[in-house]
Amino acid sequence: MTRKQIAEMVKALGPEVARELIDAAARSAPGRVGTDRATRESSVYASVANFGAFTKSVIALGRRTSATELIDAAKRFGNAAVQKAVQLSKFDSAGVLVPIQQSGEVIEFLRPDAALLKLGVRTQAFRGELHMGTQTGTSVFKWVGEGETVPRSAPKYGKIVLKAHKGMVLTDISNDLLRTPGVGDAGVGEDIRATVADGLDDAGFNGDGTGAAPKGLFVQFDPAHSFASTGTTPSAYLADIDKAVELPLTAHVRMGTAAWVIHPTRATALMQLQESGLFLFRGEMLDKGTIRGFPFVMTTRVPTTRITFCADWRQFIYGIDENLILSEHDTRAEHDETTIRAIVKGDFKLRQPKAFSSITY
């Protein structure tokens, strides 16, 4: 073939070759979501240090759009894995705008700090809006005598709808920290992770649905399953906790990922309960991490006035929109600081409200 013919062939194959290269990169790139939806070892989410280094690299680039300049920034602030992940980032001429992975990765990144995720809630990726079917009633069984008829019955169904609610974090980072390679990476990543996880937990438990906020657990579950305590004596605590476990089970909710969620102050009150000189809950809570045989998670994001039980936390849908977005939002030159913005979109729904019960004090 002549040089001209080779050139023409290369032009014709260009789009196909490019597509193959992109597909290969997507399959092998560090930080991408695999078929098992597990976090890759070299992902920017694999550790808070990786995430912090990645964030610092993005900020250091400023408002320039050259990929080469970004990679140079990554070389100063990140390790090799971070540098490779950065090469796949996309940038906007109005500033650094980095879509990072998909929601499976986001959830894994938040899991160490999010109480809801520790409870075993069902995580659901969605984009914008998602409709999910749910069963609200069952068929009816009845014995019939000879010649008698049985009334018709059928299961009843409804649906729940997840809609993306947007939450944001703005944080100021000292440029002295950004200029120091290898220093403070974990601190930068940990601060962002903890702040986002805390905001999502607060909304997931306490959101009232007003304004842009989503509705959380305490405004969604069945009102009949929230009851006032009968007192703070040992016998009252025991009776109330037994009732909290009993309510979901007598509502025919199948036992699955059952657990309690409780404020640390209320947990301390339980551990201090004594009867005839013996602690009622202390040994079980400290030795086994359980209350009445079911594990518990402590968080300050639930009120001190509640002890909440769920027969199956998978009935709580924890939806996260596809992208977690980082960007340089502003530069505080007078303070020698850089402001970064993190945006996450999500929603929370109870698939079976009767799976939950709550004691109020």
Side-chain angles (χ1 to χ4, degrees):
M1 297 176 67
T2 65
R3 182 181 295 273
K4 184 176 180 179
Q5 289 172 321
I6 293 174
E8 291 298 325
M9 182 183 70
V10 169
K11 287 180 183 179
L13 290 175
E16 291 300 321
V17 173
R19 188 177 297 110
E20 286 297 321
L21 290 174
I22 291 170
D23 289 345
R27 289 192 298 270
S28 62
R32 291 289 175 174
V33 178
T35 55
D36 56 356
R37 303 198 66 77
T39 303
R40 294 285 184 264
E41 182 180 354
S42 52
S43 166
V44 294
Y45 286 131
S47 69
V48 291
N50 272 14
F51 185 69
F54 178 73
T55 304
K56 287 165 62 177
S57 302
V58 170
I59 296 168
L61 181 64
R63 297 191 178 278
R64 293 163 289 177
T65 57
S66 166
T68 303
E69 288 174 309
L70 175 62
I71 295 169
D72 288 339
K75 289 178 180 177
R76 287 182 299 159
F77 295 109
N79 56 31
V82 173
Q83 294 167 27
K84 291 177 182 178
V86 165
Q87 293 180 50
L88 295 172
S89 299
K90 297 178 181 179
F91 295 88
D92 178 286
S93 61
V96 180
L97 186 64
V98 189
I100 307 176
Q101 320 313 332
Q102 294 185 17
S103 59
E105 291 273 2
V106 175
I107 288 168
E108 289 306 315
F109 182 64
L110 297 177
R111 195 173 295 278
D113 293 305
L116 278 168
L117 295 172
K118 292 176 183 177
L119 287 163
V121 298
R122 176 181 171 182
T123 56
Q124 177 66 52
F126 75 103
R127 188 68 172 172
E129 185 172 312
L130 177 67
H131 293 236
M132 299 180 68
T134 180
Q135 187 171 346
T136 59
T138 63
S139 303
V140 176
F141 175 84
K142 185 178 180 180
W143 295 103
V144 293
E146 186 176 355
E148 293 181 347
T149 61
V150 62
R152 295 180 182 273
S153 65
K156 297 179 181 178
Y157 298 92
K159 69 177 179 180
I160 58 175
V161 181
L162 292 169
K163 292 186 177 181
H165 296 257
K166 181 168 70 173
M168 291 177 55
V169 173
L170 289 179
T171 184
D172 299 323
I173 301 178
S174 166
N175 288 331
D176 290 330
L177 175 63
L178 295 177
R179 296 187 191 107
T180 308
V183 176
D185 292 351
V188 173
E190 187 66 42
D191 178 73
I192 293 173
R193 179 173 76 175
T195 303
V196 173
D198 190 54
L200 288 169
D201 262 357
D202 187 30
F205 287 118
N206 307 304
D208 58 9
T210 60
K215 289 184 178 180
L217 170 66
F218 297 130
V219 297
Q220 291 191 60
F221 66 45
D222 193 317
H225 282 213
S226 179
F227 62 95
S229 69
T230 55
T232 54
T233 62
S235 58
Y237 262 111
L238 286 169
D240 292 339
I241 284 175
D242 284 345
K243 182 178 178 180
V245 173
E246 182 181 274
L247 280 172
L249 299 183
T250 54
H252 306 291
V253 175
R254 293 180 182 177
M255 188 74 72
T257 310
W260 304 88
V261 61
I262 187 171
H263 191 283
T265 301
R266 188 57 58 182
T268 300
L270 280 178
M271 286 192 285
Q272 291 175 345
L273 279 178
Q274 295 185 55
E275 192 170 47
S276 303
L278 298 175
F279 288 104
L280 296 182
F281 296 101
R282 190 179 189 89
E284 180 186 1
M285 291 174 73
L286 292 178
D287 297 340
K288 299 180 181 179
T290 62
I291 299 172
R292 199 186 179 273
F294 300 106
F296 65 92
V297 170
M298 291 189 293
T299 174
T300 57
R301 281 306 173 192
V302 296
T304 58
T305 55
R306 285 184 182 268
I307 295 180
T308 303
F309 176 76
C310 180
D312 188 359
W313 280 96
R314 290 173 299 184
Q315 300 301 325
F316 187 109
I317 309 298
Y318 188 110
I320 291 292
D321 196 82
E322 186 177 353
N323 291 329
L324 170 66
I325 301 174
L326 289 180
S327 67
E328 177 190 304
H329 180 67
D330 190 19
T331 302
R332 289 163 42 96
E334 69 275 21
H335 300 287
D336 195 28
E337 294 177 343
T338 296
T339 301
I340 63 169
R341 176 181 66 185
I343 298 175
V344 66
K345 296 180 181 179
D347 199 8
F348 312 95
K349 286 290 185 290
L350 304 189
R351 192 162 191 176
Q352 214 176 138
K354 290 186 177 181
F356 303 83
S357 60
S358 182
I359 314 164
T360 56
Y361 291 86

